[in-house]
Amino acid sequence: MSFGQNTPNVPGLDLDRTITIAWAAFERRLTDHIAAMRDGDVLRLERESAQRSPAPFVMPCIQFGVWDGGIVRCEVTSNDHLEPIHALTPENEQYLAQLGWNRPTHRVGEESPGNSSAGSSAFYVDRHRSWAATLAAMSVNVFRRVWSITHPSFLSSQSSGTAFPTPGADMLPSLDPFQAIVPTDRDHLVALVSQTLAPTLGGVPEHDANGDLLVRVASALLYVSPLAGTTDIQVVALLVDKVSNHAATETVLAQLNRRWPRLKFLLVDNRLMATVLVPGMPFVPLHLSEMVETMTQALRATDGSLAAQLGGVPYYLPSVQDNLGARLHLQDLPTELVELFRLATENNVSVESMGAVIPPSLRDERERVVQIVRIGEQWVAQQRRDATEASARGDEAGAEALDALGDSWASIIGLFLSQVQPNAATPSHETAADGQLGLFSNPGQSADPHGEHR
């Protein structure tokens, strides 16, 4: 059965029309806001999510800054700023160029060619604010076509000038969990899925570069998307990568499939996966939310020792796990974190003294900073799991000690980030002294209304 064809006359909400109207209203408001911005004003619109990107990455966003008598610098996050799960594809980048954005002139941490401030490490365009309608239309196209943001209520805003409130989630028409809805096409079905999962997950679900909804559960990745060539919705969880103990895997698979009969656990290319199909024609919100909840419960129940049992690594953060075993040891931790921890246990040591253990060059080594933070976060998560296991054994004193240790290491990670933040690509939620939000490079000192730098 295909979308919207030969289907019974099932009553349902015209969500597609509602969303189109919402985006049109949002575009008009954005046009008016850009046209009214003054020199020094900055506006940043980003994808709202219950799960934030870890520093120094940022969520997909567009930033507007006004300078030089009404010139608007409009920037779109490039892959230098984005977590890999949000990375732009070559097709996305080509589409941005076709819409009118200039490609990045340099990488994060590098100087603009010719030591000029005219370029950017993001996709950018400079236009006079009289081009507000064009900039608003370009931006809405990016939100909808590149990042697959279903509704403007899934955006949040920050500004240093006049506030630009984004519509809240309550602006979305609510779905009756028991009502059957006939999706008109794949985009409509994706919108229904996104709207259904937002309250279920406690926030707006993320999308990957292919438009699939992405949810992180413990150390697993959960993908939700229409199955190609069908009207079904596929929920797939990637639990463990690089499985090597195949004898143990057979036993584990049998146990998991018995315990969770509504799900199907399987091994594909040395990856442990779980999957389930939910009918999408007609779409019933309750069916999807119940299956996602079941999958989430299963992932949380199996997290922890599963990767070690199978001789593999947790699927999430594979770039860190490539060089590590299934369980971290103190000697696996970056020396920067270990040294900070040692100093923190000494008396009368200032924050400045602790910061001295971090080489100044590290502040510009984006990939190394990300790796240090992620290894540290994995170490903290391991302390939490050990505490849970100790509590289950009845060792409450041991559990409290492990929790306290996890708190201490979490503080060290925060201290490390505070020391590398100034030159990292981490977004500042404070307004910089020059009126910029501190996300991308500042624009040049002058430009003509057609976007050519002078």
Side-chain angles (χ1 to χ4, degrees):
M1 182 180 293
S2 57
F3 291 106
Q5 296 179 355
N6 301 318
T7 57
N9 184 20
V10 183
L13 173 72
D14 189 353
L15 183 63
D16 194 45
R17 180 173 181 273
T18 301
I19 288 175
T20 299
I21 292 173
W23 276 114
F26 176 86
E27 185 175 320
R28 288 194 298 271
R29 285 202 309 115
L30 182 57
T31 297
D32 293 342
H33 185 90
I34 296 172
M37 292 175 74
R38 295 293 179 262
D39 283 10
D41 287 352
V42 178
L43 170 66
R44 185 169 70 197
L45 298 171
E46 71 177 25
R47 180 205 296 276
E48 185 60 86
S49 176
Q51 298 166 313
R52 308 295 301 171
S53 291
F57 295 119
V58 301
M59 296 299 291
C61 68
I62 298 180
Q63 177 172 283
F64 307 85
V66 180
W67 51 285
D68 195 31
I71 300 300
V72 181
R73 161 64 64 93
C74 183
E75 293 178 299
V76 178
T77 39
S78 65
N79 286 343
D80 264 13
H81 300 275
L82 295 171
E83 195 176 3
I85 59 174
H86 297 309
L88 299 170
T89 65
E91 292 76 16
N92 292 153
E93 294 176 333
Q94 180 61 31
Y95 182 64
L96 288 173
Q98 291 173 350
L99 284 175
W101 267 281
N102 299 307
R103 293 180 180 271
T105 56
H106 57 278
R107 302 291 302 275
V108 170
E110 297 178 353
E111 291 186 352
S112 182
N115 200 24
S116 167
S117 60
S120 174
S121 61
F123 286 84
Y124 72 100
V125 65
D126 296 327
R127 293 286 186 271
H128 190 271
R129 59 173 175 253
S130 59
W131 287 63
T134 299
L135 294 175
M138 290 168 63
S139 300
V140 168
N141 269 287
V142 173
F143 289 135
R144 300 191 70 180
R145 310 303 175 196
V146 176
W147 291 327
S148 301
I149 296 176
T150 307
H151 190 279
S153 64
F154 293 167
L155 295 171
S156 64
S157 67
Q158 295 180 42
S159 59
S160 64
T162 303
F164 182 79
T166 53
D170 56 353
M171 296 297 292
L172 269 173
S174 59
L175 296 179
D176 182 341
F178 301 98
Q179 184 177 26
I181 304 171
V182 177
T184 56
D185 54 25
R186 186 185 188 280
D187 288 342
H188 187 194
L189 183 57
V190 169
L192 292 169
V193 169
S194 186
Q195 187 179 354
T196 298
L197 294 185
T200 302
L201 300 173
V204 180
E206 301 176 7
H207 293 72
D208 68 3
N210 298 318
D212 296 343
L213 273 67
L214 174 62
V215 183
R216 301 175 199 167
V217 182
S219 60
L221 293 178
L222 183 66
Y223 291 88
V224 185
S225 64
L227 184 61
T230 75
T231 57
D232 292 332
I233 302 161
Q234 185 176 40
V235 183
V236 177
L238 306 176
L239 287 84
V240 181
D241 193 18
K242 300 180 181 177
V243 171
S244 60
N245 191 340
H246 292 98
T249 301
E250 292 182 9
T251 302
V252 169
L253 284 175
Q255 293 171 343
L256 291 174
N257 283 311
R258 279 197 302 269
R259 183 178 179 185
W260 306 96
R262 301 180 72 185
L263 309 177
K264 183 177 181 180
F265 291 83
L266 64 162
L267 186 68
V268 178
D269 294 332
N270 293 324
R271 293 177 177 176
L272 180 66
M273 307 169 62
T275 183
V276 66
L277 288 179
V278 180
M281 181 62 75
F283 175 82
V284 180
L286 183 64
H287 293 169
L288 177 63
S289 59
E290 283 188 339
M291 292 311 305
V292 170
E293 176 62 24
T294 299
M295 182 75 83
T296 299
Q297 292 175 359
L299 296 180
R300 287 178 175 149
T302 57
D303 187 51
S305 61
L306 188 59
Q309 285 180 303
L310 305 181
V313 293
Y315 194 86
Y316 185 54
L317 305 183
S319 59
V320 174
Q321 293 287 355
D322 282 345
N323 299 316
L324 299 174
R327 182 174 177 82
L328 285 175
H329 301 281
L330 188 62
Q331 59 266 31
D332 297 319
L333 299 185
T335 56
E336 294 86 354
L337 295 184
V338 174
E339 186 63 13
L340 284 177
F341 188 87
R342 183 188 66 78
L343 289 174
T345 60
E346 298 180 359
N347 295 324
N348 302 319
V349 178
S350 66
V351 172
E352 290 75 14
S353 298
M354 287 193 260
V357 307
I358 300 175
S361 60
L362 183 62
R363 294 178 172 85
D364 297 318
E365 295 178 20
R366 174 184 177 80
E367 293 183 0
R368 175 60 180 161
V369 169
V370 173
Q371 185 183 48
I372 289 173
V373 171
R374 288 187 166 180
I375 294 175
E377 289 176 343
Q378 185 191 357
W379 178 249
V380 172
Q382 182 172 297
Q383 306 302 320
R384 306 298 192 205
R385 289 195 298 270
D386 289 349
T388 300
E389 292 175 3
S391 179
R393 295 193 304 268
D395 183 6
E396 294 301 332
E400 290 182 7
L402 287 165
D403 266 332
L405 185 60
D407 291 341
S408 298
W409 279 104
S411 299
I412 293 301
I413 296 171
L415 175 61
F416 172 78
L417 281 173
S418 72
Q419 297 300 314
V420 299
Q421 183 111 352
N423 294 322
T426 308
S428 169
H429 295 286
E430 302 290 335
T431 300
D434 61 358
Q436 296 294 314
L437 288 181
L439 178 59
F440 308 132
S441 24
N442 293 329
Q445 295 304 307
S446 62
D448 70 23
H450 302 291
E452 297 298 326
H453 295 282
R454 295 199 299 261

